[in-house]
Amino acid sequence: MFVTRAITDVGLERLRAVCDVDLWDEATPPPYETLVVRTSGCVGLLALLTDRVDAALLDACTDLRVVSNFAVGYDNVDVEACSARGIAVGHTPGVLTEATADLAFCLLIAAARHVPAAQQSVLRGEWRTWEPRGFLGRHLQFGTIGIVGMGRIGMALARRCHKGWGMHVLYADPRTNEDAERELHAQRVPLRQLLAQSDFISLHAPLVPETEYMIDAAALRAMKPTAVLVNTARGALVDQDALFDALTQGRLHAAGLDVTDPEPVATEDPLLHLPNCIVTPHIASATVRARDAMAEIAAENLILGIEGRALRHAVGRRVN
Ligand code: DGY
């Protein structure tokens, strides 16, 4: 099997106990051509969200039985092409929910209260006295949170906002989430209504053709100028040029992005130099507990797929 990066030890040890592991042990992902060459002849591939697993790769890797994605999202994998070739696809849902919701809330409060800009000013030696009008942010308690995509992670953030901060919860989702409506009195509304009425907006939708650049110039214009936008899902949900315009023209209070389009974002990208935009390097699931649990599931999915058994967490058509 080919493992495209050093996942945490619990996963690697589990894999090494049962099969030969060809590990790409570099700090950055294997280039696509290397990914294809190293995967050909393998029955299993443990991929990261940075690895493109497309039909051309699958055609070159005819022995492949399973692609185990070390992530809950799987937009990097052509699942349909895998299913058509009888290749199982696994992912790691559930175990990174709370870690991701924590980071979404962290970005929300840090962006609302200008935390990074305030720290930068201290580092620049600009803290001369207590400022009655300095770094005035948005008040969180009793505000309205708009959750775009009320799945596990959206629900975990909504719980924090409603139960901890007394927020009113709006959500936009193709499906009704009865738990959210019963437990949090959440209201399902059309996306445009959510954008117009929310004080804080957090994105938790998968990246699919229907959601690509869903937060475009028109969507940003629909938001309150006092609103805070958070994205811990996928960078391509947001049109970053339009976001830059909104943040610099006083049409949006602040943004917190854990994901960008592309990743990594270029250091000269103007978004990085705005005082009202926080960017972190896709770390929402980066807790020891979450990454160990992801590693265990990804390893188990891979082993089950190689053995021709049903995966613990599969997507696409059932092949085993
Ligand atoms: C995922 O799992 O999809 C996250 O983006 C990384 O943990």
Side-chain angles (χ1 to χ4, degrees), residues 60-95:
C61 302
T62 47
D63 295 326
L64 206 55
R65 284 187 223 151
V66 55
V67 174
S68 172
N69 215 37
F70 183 74
V72 62
Y74 45 86
D75 46 281
N76 59 306
V77 180
D78 186 337
V79 176
E80 187 51 47
C82 287
S83 299
R85 289 162 180 77
I87 298 169
V89 180
H91 71 146
T92 65
V95 292

Side-chain angles (χ1 to χ4, degrees), residues 49 71-73 96 233-234 282 285 294:
L49 52 88
V72 62
L96 46 90
R234 286 293 181 268
H282 206 146
S285 65
M294 289 166 70

Side-chain angles (χ1 to χ4, degrees), residues 118-129:
Q119 194 209 10
Q120 290 296 320
S121 97
V122 173
L123 295 176
R124 284 194 301 266
E126 292 168 3
W127 185 9
R128 287 166 306 181
T129 183

Side-chain angles (χ1 to χ4, degrees), residues 18-312:
V18 294
C19 29
D20 286 337
V21 174
D22 176 13
L23 174 66
W24 179 261
D25 202 11
E26 306 285 326
T28 53
Y32 177 75
E33 294 68 30
T34 309
L35 176 67
V36 174
V37 170
R38 297 275 281 264
T39 307
S40 63
C42 291
V43 288
L45 169 64
L46 192 146
L48 268 58
L49 52 88
T50 40
D51 302 313
R52 179 159 50 93
V53 181
D54 58 10
L57 178 143
L58 301 176
D59 286 341
C61 302
T62 47
D63 295 326
L64 206 55
R65 284 187 223 151
V66 55
V67 174
S68 172
N69 215 37
F70 183 74
V72 62
Y74 45 86
D75 46 281
N76 59 306
V77 180
D78 186 337
V79 176
E80 187 51 47
C82 287
S83 299
R85 289 162 180 77
I87 298 169
V89 180
H91 71 146
T92 65
V95 292
L96 46 90
T97 303
E98 301 303 326
T100 305
D102 280 348
L103 193 89
F105 194 76
C106 166
L107 290 175
L108 192 157
I109 195 165
R113 298 296 305 275
H114 300 297
V115 172
Q119 194 209 10
Q120 290 296 320
S121 97
V122 173
L123 295 176
R124 284 194 301 266
E126 292 168 3
W127 185 9
R128 287 166 306 181
T129 183
W130 185 82
E131 295 269 0
R133 285 148 69 120
F135 298 107
L136 298 184
R138 308 306 313 169
H139 195 80
L140 271 76
Q141 193 187 29
F142 304 139
T144 297
I145 176 83
I147 305 276
V148 180
M150 188 62 100
R152 293 184 195 84
I153 299 171
M155 179 76 180
L157 177 65
R159 269 200 195 102
R160 283 159 176 71
C161 293
H162 181 72
K163 297 194 170 169
W165 273 258
M167 289 192 202
H168 176 50
V169 180
L170 299 178
Y171 74 102
D173 195 290
R175 282 174 298 277
T176 300
N177 184 322
E178 279 164 16
D179 289 342
E181 301 200 353
R182 194 181 48 249
E183 192 187 321
L184 311 174
H185 309 292
Q187 260 181 287
R188 181 167 166 244
V189 294
L191 179 63
R192 279 305 146 104
Q193 184 180 339
L194 178 149
L195 299 176
Q197 295 182 352
S198 299
D199 300 304
F200 310 101
I201 296 160
S202 191
L203 308 181
H204 301 284
L207 177 61
V208 291
E210 300 76 47
T211 60
E212 195 170 16
Y213 305 121
M214 70 193 304
I215 304 300
D216 57 8
L220 287 156
R221 265 196 299 277
M223 295 178 195
K224 297 181 184 181
T226 50
V228 175
L229 174 69
V230 170
N231 188 7
T232 53
R234 286 293 181 268
L237 298 182
V238 177
D239 175 341
Q240 283 175 197
D241 293 335
L243 177 62
F244 177 83
D245 290 344
L247 287 168
T248 50
Q249 293 168 7
R251 290 189 282 108
L252 188 67
H253 176 71
L257 311 175
D258 185 50
V259 288
T260 58
D261 175 38
E263 292 183 7
V265 64
T267 46
E268 59 275 12
D269 191 304
L271 269 182
L272 296 187
H273 306 285
L274 293 181
N276 55 348
C277 185
I278 306 173
V279 180
T280 50
H282 206 146
I283 58 165
S285 65
T287 68
V288 173
R289 183 195 287 213
R291 290 285 166 84
D292 277 351
M294 289 166 70
E296 278 195 38
I297 295 175
E300 188 177 345
N301 277 340
L302 195 65
I303 294 165
L304 289 168
I306 289 172
E307 292 171 352
R309 294 159 64 196
L311 308 192
R312 183 158 148 203

